[in-house]
Amino acid sequence: MSQSPNTTDDPVSPALRQKYIDNHLVPLWESKTAATFGKALETAQHWKWATMQSIVTETGKIKAAHVLDRRVLLKTKADRHHVYDEAATGTLFCDFQLVLPGERAHPHRHPMNALRFVVQCSGGVKSIVDGKDCEMTPGDLILTPGWCWHEHVNDGPDPVIWLDVLDVGMHYYLGTTDFQPGPAKDLPAQLPEGTFATAGVVPNLDDTDYQQRPYSPKFRYPWLETLRALEAAPERTDGSRAVKFINPLTGGPCMDLMDSQVLQLRPDLPTQKHLSSASTVCYVVEGQGVSEIGDQRFEWATHDVFTIPARQWARHTAGKEGARIFQVSNREVLRRLGLLRESSAD
């Protein structure tokens, strides 16, 4: 709602001002939205595992039934005024989720894409995605594409914690959020584990249904496979290495509207500065280091999470042991819309 400016020379008469208010109109010259065009709308944020671990553990002591399926702690923007501000950065929602031994998060599905990167797990844990069992071990990436049924089962001796990243914010903007509880039904056929075990070779499928699905037929990307790919990847000009998680049938991103990669940093060697119109969530898989994002500087360690908001220069430097960082962005959405802008600098 437009408010009268704090000035004696308001060009709008009181009568016209009231008409603006009564009819939900805002003059463009007073629009807060228009005043932010071309400006960075967020500051980067940092959640330290040294603090988060005890909070997640204490949350695990809550036994209320309605909490079991949603023992999830959203990482939100610091200055929250709207549901959109529950995003960690841009349109990306991000959280730590905890499932205790013997617990089962019930099946459900929704149009929002979600991925899970396993933080801590000692075995006996799986996600079931459209009827397919996906074992969870530390560093594994598990996909739950939009409208795929999924549930989580912990039959192991210890709690499991993973990082969730979802494109919820985009669905809020588009008005396409939805939720359907289980039981799971009408499950599609799945390819067996190991179908895409050999890089560069995929099955010549007679059933074109797999090609027509708008998501990767591979739901689990084991950490050991990712490590082998990293070690085989060539070094870039700044000494870093990076591998992308892809849909093996199309070569596109593993999640239809989210890009995921692991960045490996050489010890004590800064990366090139990078600027993007995409927003990025970063999870430190291994190592310690420093990131300069905009005018902020974060010292991070293993299991920390930090964000790189759109239109902010970022540079990373690992400590003496090197580091690996899992990164998720909404880059693919911007690329398809013709809105992706990226630059690098020394």
Side-chain angles (χ1 to χ4, degrees):
M1 183 171 66
S2 178
Q3 301 293 329
S4 178
N6 294 322
T7 176
T8 56
D9 57 354
D10 182 5
V12 180
S13 68
L16 182 56
R17 175 70 62 186
Q18 190 59 49
K19 291 179 181 178
Y20 289 165
I21 295 172
D22 293 344
N23 291 278
H24 310 293
L25 302 172
V26 175
L28 185 62
W29 63 87
E30 296 176 14
S31 167
K32 293 181 180 179
T33 302
T36 65
F37 288 168
K39 298 180 181 179
L41 301 180
E42 297 178 33
T43 57
Q45 295 195 91
H46 181 197
W47 292 269
K48 294 188 176 185
W49 183 245
T51 301
M52 293 295 103
Q53 185 176 20
S54 62
I55 296 175
V56 173
T57 300
E58 189 171 353
T59 301
K61 298 176 182 178
I62 301 174
K63 302 300 182 182
H66 69 281
V67 174
L68 189 153
D69 278 358
R70 302 212 167 205
R71 199 178 284 110
V72 172
L73 298 178
L74 289 169
K75 299 170 177 62
T76 70
K77 297 173 185 175
D79 188 17
R80 296 191 301 279
H81 300 288
H82 192 277
V83 65
Y84 303 141
D85 297 330
E86 289 185 358
T89 182
T91 57
L92 298 176
F93 278 49
C94 173
D95 63 70
F96 280 133
Q97 182 164 0
L98 171 71
V99 180
L100 297 176
E103 289 186 341
R104 187 184 194 106
H106 296 111
H108 62 277
R109 65 178 184 171
H110 39 65
M112 294 78 78
N113 295 291
L115 58 81
R116 311 176 197 285
F117 197 92
V118 183
V119 176
Q120 288 187 350
C121 177
S122 61
V125 181
K126 63 182 178 181
S127 283
I128 305 173
V129 185
D130 263 355
K132 185 174 182 178
D133 288 358
C134 299
E135 179 187 0
M136 304 181 87
T137 61
D140 290 356
L141 173 64
I142 310 294
L143 309 184
T144 55
W147 284 124
C148 286
W149 292 102
H150 52 282
E151 57 186 300
H152 315 294
V153 182
N154 185 354
D155 289 329
D158 300 307
V160 57
I161 300 171
W162 62 73
L163 176 82
D164 287 323
V165 184
L166 306 91
D167 57 3
V168 174
M170 182 189 68
H171 288 272
Y172 273 135
Y173 286 122
L174 297 176
T176 53
T177 57
D178 202 350
F179 182 89
Q180 184 177 357
K185 56 186 177 182
D186 300 324
L187 298 174
Q190 301 294 345
L191 295 169
E193 191 74 16
T195 299
F196 303 100
T198 303
V201 181
V202 298
N204 188 358
L205 299 169
D206 294 328
D207 184 357
T208 59
D209 173 63
Y210 293 104
Q211 284 90 345
Q212 293 172 354
R213 297 178 193 178
Y215 53 81
S216 172
K218 180 175 179 175
F219 295 144
R220 177 176 181 252
Y221 294 73
W223 179 241
L224 289 179
E225 292 183 6
T226 304
L227 285 178
R228 284 195 292 267
L230 273 171
E231 294 308 313
E235 286 192 347
R236 302 192 290 190
T237 55
D238 58 11
S240 66
R241 302 183 189 199
V243 293
K244 296 174 63 175
F245 296 96
I246 67 167
N247 179 333
L249 290 183
T250 67
C254 65
M255 297 293 283
D256 195 41
L257 298 176
M258 291 190 288
D259 279 286
S260 302
Q261 71 168 9
V262 174
L263 176 66
Q264 180 170 289
L265 307 177
R266 285 182 59 182
D268 299 321
L269 188 61
T271 64
Q272 281 190 306
K273 293 175 65 177
H274 185 70
L275 178 72
S276 177
S277 54
S279 304
T280 304
V281 171
C282 299
Y283 166 73
V284 182
V285 186
E286 300 172 348
Q288 297 179 334
V290 174
S291 289
E292 301 163 61
I293 304 169
D295 59 0
Q296 296 177 274
R297 183 178 185 274
F298 298 137
E299 295 183 3
W300 40 258
T302 300
H303 302 327
D304 283 10
V305 176
F306 60 92
T307 60
I308 306 174
R311 299 192 299 275
Q312 294 205 20
W313 286 99
R315 184 200 297 272
H316 315 291
T317 307
K320 297 185 182 302
E321 303 300 323
R324 296 185 176 106
I325 302 174
F326 173 63
Q327 297 181 312
V328 186
S329 77
N330 57 3
R331 184 178 184 275
E332 179 64 11
V333 175
L334 300 180
R335 185 191 68 79
R336 292 193 193 182
L337 293 174
L339 298 174
L340 182 66
R341 300 290 182 271
E342 295 184 311
S343 301
S344 295
D346 294 330

